[in-house]
Structure formats: C-alpha cells, structure tokens
Amino acid sequence: MFAQHGCGSCTDHPGTGMAFSRVGRLDPAARGVFRRAAVMLCSLLTSLFLLHCLTERCGTTSPVRASSSRGLLQDLRAQRTKRLVYEWTEPVVGYGGTGRVVNEPPEESPDLVASSRKVSPRFAGKLSPLGEGSKKLPQALIIGVKKGGTRALLEFLRVHPDIRAVGAEPHFFDRNYENGLDWYRELMPKTLEGQITMEKTPSYFVTREAPARISAMSRDTKLIVVVRDPVTRAISDYTQTLSKKPDIPSFESLTFKNRTTGLIDTSWSAIQIGIYAKHLDNWLQYFPMGQILFVSGERLITDPAGELGRVQDFLGLKRIITDKHFYFNQTKGFPCLKKAEGSSKPHCLGKTKGRTHPNIDPEVVQRLRDFYRPFNMKFYQMTGRFFGWED
C-alpha cells in the first residue's frame, strides 16, 4: 500500500514500515489525532521556511528603500529626543522684583516658560547619544576686569538656556597658550546648535598678548568687560590679597612710590589695572569697538536685569533673564539669583564675595581719584558711555 504512494518498499526502510504499520493498526480516532499533528508540524516548517526567505530578501533591499528607512528612524529618534527633553525639563521659576524672596512664583508668559527650560541635573548626560552636542571654541569671552563683577555676570548669564560656560577660569590666553587650541576646546562644555560657548578670565584685559591671540582664534569673538570705579576696585583688590596674606603692607604705603610727593605707584597691579583707557588702546588694535561691550559693575548691583538685558542683546539672544530672576540680599549688599543654573534654590555668590573693605585714609582716596580722573574721562570718550565714577 505504501509503495503505491511513493514511499518506497517497506523492506528498504524497516523502521519506517513498522511505524506506519503501527499507525495503520490505530483506531480511527487516534489516526485523526496523528494526522492533525502532522499537519501542524508541516505548517510550522513552512512558516519557518517563508520567514527565512523574507529575511534573505531584506538583506538585499534597494539603497533607496534603505535610505528611506534610515530617514524614518532618524525622524523617530528626533521626536523621541524632543519628548524626553520636554519631560526632563522644568521652567525657570519666576522671581518677584520686590527685592525679597517670595513663597509663590508669579505667573509667567508661555514664551518665557518655553524658552527657559533647562535639563534637570538628575538627567544630565542621559540624552547621549541622541543630542549631546559638541565642544566648540568660545564665541564670547568675559575678558575683565578683576574685582569688577565678572563672577556675578557669569553666574547670571548661565541662567540663560542658550549660554554654556566654563565655571573655572581657563587662563588660556595668558598662562596656558602653549597648550594649543585643541587643549582649550576640550575645556569647553558641549553645546547644541544655536547655543553660545563662553568663558571668563579677568586677567585677559591687562595681558598685552591676549588681543592678538584671541584675534588669531577668531576675529568675530565677542568681548565683554565689566568695569568698576577704579578706586573702589583697587581697594577691593587689596582686600582680597589681605585675606590671603595678612602681613602685607598697608594700602596707603603700597599706593605711593613716595608718600611725601604723592607720586602714585602705577607698577602696583591694583593701581595699574584701573587705567582702563590704556588697556583698551591695546584691544582696539585687533578688535573694533562694536565687538566689545562694557558692563558697569555698579549697575550690575543696582540694576542687574538692565545690564543683563544689554548683554543678551549684544550676544544676539532673546531677553530671557529679567528682573524676575533676582532678589536683593540685604546682608551681602548685592543681588542674588532666585534660582541658579541646575538648582531650584536661591543662589548667592560665595562668602569670599562682598568682603568688608578696610578703612582707607580719605586723603589717599582723594589722591587716587585725582590720579584716575583724566584716564576715566578718556575711557568715557572711547566707549561713549559715562560711568559716573567722579560722583
């Protein structure tokens, strides 16, 4: 019987013949179960064979279809990135302009909330590799001056979502230039398209080689200088040094080459830094005045939002940092952030900022004001801005 169906002679395959003979001896119900099992096995094998064929064909997909698939995948990844950023961020809390901390943030406009979103520290680094950005050389630098308010300006600017800045001072263009631009770039934070990379090193403004070196990196670099009454700045500079070296000579003795004649010692760095017009002359040999912004250190205390508005305009950024971001700390005597970068808590500069100045002989202070007056007047003319340091 089996030979008629192409199975060959049962004598050729004794085991097979015996198996089929056993099936033949099964009752009808058992034979039905066997047939159904055989059909299911055949279906499974057929499915596996078809899946194998499809897999082989996918491996030879045309370049056009493969490219379309990659494009679709990229679109899906981009949408997922936007969703993750939206879920992992929170709006900058609004700040009352009353000079004090308020319990409830005021209502903010949708534009401000949308523009002020920042990645929460909990998720820092978790967007890689979907959109972590890349390291770039800075497009803007805070180049001075020491004890003018550069740290405050940098901390305020870091609230802006389109500014990424190095916290420490790199001192590349004055102390570490031999390390090369690749070394310098590695110090920078990663930025996304449209964000600005920044750093601040106040000693650049008084370093003679710095303008040429920065120009060699990029002639389009935007420069920011925070200036302050040179007499107050000198006293602040001395106060900082005194906190580290209590045994240094008095301010009065360091100010003069000869106290009797009243000749000012311009070789002392605390005095020399405040001759702003002299240093600016050096920078104007390499950069036009339009690429340099001068921020008033005094107004940075009395009207931080106003000065930050000028800086944001200068950098070509939307005015996101406003008076809502600040409150005035009566103890320290200067403004603090209601909410700093990466934090939900109020933030003031460290205790090293806002030190109490020693009492200086009023006659010495007046001598210094007389000394700086002609330099200040020239500086006002050069910058086109009156800072009011003679008041």
Side-chain angles (χ1 to χ4, degrees):
M1 177 181 69
F2 294 105
Q4 295 175 358
H5 289 81
C7 292
S9 173
C10 291
T11 57
D12 295 335
H13 304 282
T16 306
M18 292 176 64
F20 278 101
S21 64
R22 292 192 191 99
V23 174
R25 290 197 297 272
L26 295 175
D27 59 275
R31 286 198 297 272
V33 171
F34 182 84
R35 289 193 186 96
R36 283 195 295 273
V39 170
M40 291 176 63
L41 179 60
C42 290
S43 298
L44 178 61
L45 293 173
T46 302
S47 298
L48 290 174
F49 176 75
L50 292 173
L51 180 61
H52 173 73
C53 292
L54 289 173
T55 303
E56 290 296 314
R57 290 188 64 186
C58 289
T60 59
T61 304
S62 67
V64 174
R65 293 188 60 184
S67 175
S68 300
S69 300
R70 285 194 298 270
L72 178 60
L73 181 60
Q74 290 173 353
D75 290 342
L76 291 173
R77 284 178 175 173
Q79 292 176 12
R80 178 170 177 265
T81 301
K82 291 180 180 179
R83 178 176 59 80
L84 290 174
V85 171
Y86 184 84
E87 292 176 355
W88 293 352
T89 57
E90 56 186 357
V92 173
V93 176
Y95 314 119
T98 58
R100 59 186 178 85
V101 181
V102 292
N103 293 327
E104 294 295 333
E107 192 171 338
E108 296 191 5
S109 67
D111 289 342
L112 178 60
V113 172
S115 303
S116 303
R117 293 188 178 275
K118 305 197 309 271
V119 177
S120 169
R122 295 185 296 137
F123 300 101
K126 293 188 179 181
L127 293 181
S128 175
L130 297 178
E132 62 181 6
S134 59
K135 295 186 177 184
K136 301 181 181 68
L137 292 170
Q139 297 95 49
L141 299 171
I142 300 175
I143 60 174
V145 298
K146 180 183 178 184
K147 307 310 296 178
T150 58
R151 172 55 59 182
L153 178 61
L154 183 71
E155 292 302 313
F156 295 163
L157 283 174
R158 291 174 77 178
V159 172
H160 201 294
D162 290 333
I163 292 178
R164 300 280 288 127
V166 182
E169 296 175 3
H171 283 280
F172 175 66
F173 295 104
D174 58 351
R175 302 177 189 171
N176 299 302
Y177 193 65
E178 69 280 358
N179 291 336
L181 287 174
D182 289 339
W183 176 88
Y184 184 46
R185 184 187 289 108
E186 281 303 307
L187 300 179
M188 299 300 122
K190 291 183 177 180
T191 54
L192 301 175
E193 188 67 29
Q195 290 183 319
I196 293 177
T197 303
M198 290 188 67
E199 69 110 324
K200 77 106 176 171
T201 304
S203 55
Y204 290 164
F205 188 63
V206 297
T207 300
R208 187 157 191 82
E209 300 80 12
R213 291 171 174 177
I214 295 173
S215 178
M217 177 187 72
S218 174
R219 293 182 179 179
D220 297 326
T221 305
K222 294 187 176 182
L223 309 171
I224 301 173
V225 187
V226 187
V227 289
R228 182 184 183 186
D229 181 337
V231 177
T232 309
R233 198 221 64 81
I235 297 172
S236 180
D237 197 338
Y238 173 79
T239 304
Q240 182 181 51
T241 305
L242 184 65
S243 68
K244 299 174 183 178
K245 301 177 181 179
D247 57 343
I248 62 172
S250 67
F251 181 86
E252 290 85 351
S253 62
L254 292 171
T255 299
F256 300 100
K257 284 185 177 181
N258 187 316
R259 180 76 182 266
T260 305
T261 61
L263 183 62
I264 303 295
D265 187 358
T266 57
S267 65
W268 184 30
S269 63
I271 301 295
Q272 195 260 346
I273 290 173
I275 310 175
Y276 302 139
K278 174 184 175 182
H279 305 302
L280 181 55
D281 269 335
N282 187 33
W283 286 90
L284 293 179
Q285 295 179 38
Y286 298 90
F287 291 93
M289 186 64 79
Q291 274 179 240
I292 308 175
L293 179 71
F294 294 91
V295 174
S296 167
E298 287 80 14
R299 287 182 61 83
L300 199 57
I301 294 175
T302 60
D303 182 22
E307 289 301 284
L308 266 293
R310 294 178 62 247
V311 176
Q312 290 172 94
D313 292 345
F314 175 69
L315 296 175
L317 299 175
K318 182 178 180 181
R319 285 198 178 196
I320 289 176
I321 307 171
T322 67
D323 58 357
K324 296 180 180 180
H325 290 79
F326 303 98
Y327 74 95
F328 191 82
N329 186 301
Q330 296 290 348
T331 303
K332 284 185 169 291
F334 53 77
C336 301
L337 286 169
K338 181 73 178 299
K339 181 180 178 184
E341 180 198 29
S343 172
S344 60
K345 299 179 181 179
H347 171 68
C348 284
L349 298 180
K351 58 185 179 181
T352 60
K353 305 298 181 181
R355 295 185 184 94
T356 302
H357 292 178
N359 292 322
I360 306 298
D361 185 339
E363 181 186 350
V364 174
V365 172
Q366 188 57 51
R367 290 273 188 95
L368 279 175
R369 294 210 175 278
D370 294 339
F371 167 77
Y372 279 120
R373 185 172 291 108
F375 296 109
N376 291 343
M377 296 306 296
K378 182 180 179 182
F379 184 68
Y380 297 164
Q381 292 175 345
M382 295 171 75
T383 60
R385 187 176 183 188
F386 178 73
F387 292 90
W389 294 326
E390 283 68 41
D391 297 344

